[in-house]
Amino acid sequence: MAGTSMVVSVKNNLKLLSKRDRLKNRLGGYNSEVKTEYDLPKASNKQLSTLAKRLKEERKIRMTKVIIVTAILFIGLVYVFLYATDGIVELLTY
């Protein structure tokens, strides 16, 4: 009796599974023989060097902003810590 209920339970669970092909809706399909080809424009060395310079400058600006924000937060935390220690000292001296 227990064996048959197990078989029925497995069959019911299989009926609940999706019947569609799992690889059907993947990007690029599921045919490994077909290669995707990209139509990218050609870039000259001058364009690549200007792009590299622009990216370096953007990275430098972003890093400067991160350092400034971090310094401001650190100074704020130090100020809060010093303010809190003054309050603790006052509480302990009374």
Side-chain angles (χ1 to χ4, degrees):
M1 180 92 175
T4 57
S5 64
M6 181 179 63
V7 171
V8 169
S9 177
V10 170
K11 284 184 181 180
N12 287 337
N13 287 340
L14 286 174
K15 288 178 186 176
L16 293 174
L17 290 176
S18 176
K19 300 296 182 197
R20 68 178 175 84
D21 185 13
R22 300 242 182 251
L23 299 176
K24 189 175 188 180
N25 294 325
R26 286 182 52 186
L27 291 175
Y30 51 89
N31 189 356
S32 62
E33 296 174 5
V34 177
K35 300 274 185 182
T36 54
E37 294 183 20
Y38 299 104
D39 187 24
L40 299 174
K42 300 294 181 192
S44 67
N45 287 336
K46 185 177 180 180
Q47 289 174 330
L48 291 175
S49 64
T50 56
L51 180 65
K53 286 179 185 177
R54 192 178 79 213
L55 288 175
K56 283 181 186 178
E57 200 147 326
E58 287 177 3
R59 190 180 314 124
K60 185 178 178 181
I61 291 170
R62 188 180 322 119
M63 193 55 130
T64 305
K65 288 178 183 178
V66 167
I67 289 172
I68 290 171
V69 169
T70 304
I72 291 171
L73 289 175
F74 181 74
I75 291 170
L77 285 174
V78 168
Y79 178 75
V80 167
F81 178 73
L82 291 176
Y83 182 74
T85 55
D86 287 340
I88 291 172
V89 170
E90 287 181 19
L91 285 174
L92 293 176
T93 55
Y94 286 126

